């Protein structure tokens, strides 16, 4: 169910402060999308992960495993594709 994706976005903590994991839009807009999802109005979205510090040629097996597990989770929970953008 797509609404479960929204519940899996806890705030990111840095030291003693919390910061949002949302880079575009607001928490209020995300909550509005959750209400839409609960009303079963069909919509689709994609998640883009931008990691310019990762080289496509030199990415470690651990990072590839993490990305694979993340993509699998997103597809299972919300049928949501993951797009990863890295340094060529």
């Amino acid at each position: 169910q797509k609404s479960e994706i929204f519940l899996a976005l806890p705030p990111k903590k840095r030291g003693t402060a919390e910061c949002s994991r949302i880079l575009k839009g607001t928490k209020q807009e995300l909550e509005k999308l959750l209400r839409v999802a609960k009303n079963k109005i069909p919509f689709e979205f994609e998640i883009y992960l931008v990691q310019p510090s990762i080289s496509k040629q030199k990415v470690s097996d651990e990072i590839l495993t993490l990305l694979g597990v993340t993509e699998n989770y997103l597809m299972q929970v919300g049928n949501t594709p993951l797009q990863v953008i890295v340094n060529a």
Side-chain angles (χ1 to χ4, degrees):
Q1 185 176 2
K2 287 200 182 282
S3 62
E4 291 179 35
I5 290 290
F6 297 103
L7 301 175
L9 288 172
K12 186 175 182 181
K13 294 189 180 202
R14 287 198 176 155
T16 58
E18 281 190 0
C19 59
S20 173
R21 292 178 184 251
I22 303 168
L23 298 181
K24 185 174 182 182
T26 65
K27 183 179 178 185
Q28 290 76 22
E29 290 172 327
L30 190 59
E31 289 169 347
K32 181 179 176 182
L33 288 175
L34 176 58
R35 287 191 300 275
V36 169
K38 284 185 176 180
N39 290 328
K40 307 223 187 290
I41 297 172
F43 69 94
E44 293 183 15
F45 61 96
E46 296 177 338
I47 296 178
Y48 287 83
L49 176 63
V50 180
Q51 292 292 310
S53 64
I54 295 178
S55 168
K56 192 174 183 180
Q57 289 80 20
K58 296 181 182 179
V59 65
S60 69
D61 289 340
E62 291 85 6
I63 295 296
L64 289 175
T65 300
L66 177 62
L67 292 172
V69 168
T70 302
E71 180 181 35
N72 187 46
Y73 173 79
L74 290 171
M75 290 303 290
Q76 285 181 351
V77 170
N79 196 29
T80 303
L82 173 66
Q83 302 292 325
V84 180
I85 300 171
V86 298
N87 193 357

